[in-house]
């Protein structure tokens, strides 16, 4: 089975990568880009029957730095 | 308006970050992790009325390296 974890910086945490992308888009002539935030997405192939609680534990212990990042779990088929 | 771009490595492209996560999860005692792929998610705050074609152009020119990465665009409200 597949689980998708999306990790994003919490609001208020400085995002230099996002700022760099915003600056680059502006200098390339794309107008109206008010903000850019970059996060990561982690796709896990797991043994059938793995519970969402287990994926949550992976997030808390390894995948996200919960001081500055939030995460969202989507369990797939 | 908001657009979300998800950039993933194409199948067959080596993903060292994903492999590192897989190894770390295994050594932490999580069993049954068959594969891990890491990608990135970019959230763009755009001027109202920005067209998906414009976001596609941003992806082709800057956000994704289309030789090794694929991307998916979701246009929000």
């Amino acid at each position: 089975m597949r689980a998708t974890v999306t990790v994003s910086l919490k609001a208020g945490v400085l995002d230099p990568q996002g700022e760099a992308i915003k600056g680059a888009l502006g200098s390339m002539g794309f107008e109206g880009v008010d903000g850019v935030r970059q996060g990561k997405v982690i796709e896990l192939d797991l043994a059938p029957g793995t519970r969402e609680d287990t994926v949550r534990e992976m997030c808390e212990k390894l995948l996200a730095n919960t001081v500055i990042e939030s995460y969202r779990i989507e369990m797939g088929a």
Side-chain angles (χ1 to χ4, degrees), chain A:
Chain A
M1 64 179 299
R2 171 73 57 100
T4 304
V5 174
T6 307
V7 179
S8 319
L9 283 170
K10 289 181 179 172
V13 178
L14 191 68
D15 180 0
Q17 279 184 296
E19 287 302 309
I21 292 170
K22 183 183 166 191
L25 288 172
S27 69
M28 288 167 75
F30 291 104
E31 286 170 16
V33 181
D34 294 325
V36 180
R37 303 283 284 173
Q38 183 175 328
K40 51 191 172 176
V41 55
I42 300 159
E43 298 199 340
L44 302 154
D45 277 325
L46 300 168
T50 304
R51 290 165 57 221
E52 184 168 335
D53 283 353
T54 306
V55 179
R56 191 172 308 282
E57 201 184 334
M58 292 177 186
C59 290
E60 293 283 338
K61 290 190 175 169
L62 180 72
L63 302 180
N65 175 351
T66 55
V67 177
I68 56 169
E69 293 171 329
S70 58
Y71 60 87
R72 198 176 70 237
I73 298 168
E74 288 165 77
M75 302 297 286

